[in-house]
């Protein structure tokens, strides 16, 4: 049975940005430390979710009707787990191709090193949606959200938005008629 952690232990892990081990299917991932870029990317993914208010009397029908538009759930959790820096990975791969000479009479195998980009976010998002139950996905989302320093991000954005609102953006001048 898993050992329960005290509030102090959880707070220390958050402050020290200790990576949390996350198991998805047969793979284990270490969550990335929170960053502003990660929160921004997650916010973009959240904006792709349907903007609806579900009727509590018809939750089943309405949930099923919007489920097709909720693929972004996997993206959101994958972004939180991997972090903004680890969403894509460049790898060098050896590719073999056939090179022909003299109108195709002669051929030779040529091995080239090619750089490929692996979309780790798409892979993990698909794995999350296929391997986890809705309850497990919810629990995982709550776990990684608790580590994201959302209150600090909220404080920063609120402060900057207030500065922007207080800043004078338009200067009005009195209209003067010619000759006055």
């Amino acid at each position: 049975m898993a050992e329960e952690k005290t509030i102090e232990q959880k707070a220390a892990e958050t402050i020290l940005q200790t990576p949390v081990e996350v198991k998805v299917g047969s793979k284990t991932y270490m969550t990335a430390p929170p960053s502003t870029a990660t929160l921004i990317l997650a916010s973009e993914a959240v904006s792709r979710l349907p903007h609806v208010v579900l009727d509590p009397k018809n939750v089943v029908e309405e949930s099923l009707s919007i489920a097709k538009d909720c693929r972004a759930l996997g993206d959101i959790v994958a972004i939180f787990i991997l972090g903004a820096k680890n969403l894509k990975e460049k790898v060098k791969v050896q590719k073999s191709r056939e090179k022909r000479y003299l109108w195709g009479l002669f051929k030779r195998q040529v091995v080239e090193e090619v750089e490929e980009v692996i979309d780790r976010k798409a892979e993990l998002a698909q794995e999350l949606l296929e391997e986890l139950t809705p309850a497990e996905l919810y629990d995982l989302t709550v776990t990684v959200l608790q580590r994201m320093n959302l209150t600090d991000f909220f404080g920063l954005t609120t402060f900057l938005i207030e500065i922007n609102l207080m800043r004078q953006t338009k200067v009005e001048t009195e209209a003067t008629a010619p000759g006055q």
Side-chain angles (χ1 to χ4, degrees), residues 59-140:
V59 172
V60 173
E61 293 88 357
E62 292 194 12
S63 294
L64 289 174
S65 72
I66 65 163
K68 67 186 181 319
D69 302 319
C70 292
R71 192 170 305 277
L73 290 172
D75 291 341
I76 294 164
V77 180
I79 290 167
F80 282 137
I81 291 172
L82 297 172
K85 291 181 181 178
N86 301 313
L87 298 179
K88 295 189 183 207
E89 180 181 5
K90 291 182 182 178
V91 293
K92 295 194 186 270
V93 180
Q94 300 276 332
K95 291 251 179 167
S96 178
R97 68 178 180 92
E98 195 174 85
K99 193 169 184 178
R100 296 180 178 258
Y101 301 98
L102 293 174
W103 304 284
L105 295 174
F106 300 101
K107 54 187 172 182
R108 185 178 85 168
Q109 290 288 14
V110 177
V111 177
E112 298 174 327
E113 192 170 271
V114 180
E115 191 173 87
E116 287 185 355
V117 177
I118 299 171
D119 189 352
R120 294 183 66 214
K121 179 187 79 166
E123 290 176 357
L124 179 55
Q126 189 66 31
E127 191 174 356
L128 287 162
L129 294 174
E130 291 174 354
E131 298 291 330
L132 299 182
T133 66
E136 292 170 331
L137 189 60
Y138 174 79
D139 289 341
L140 181 56

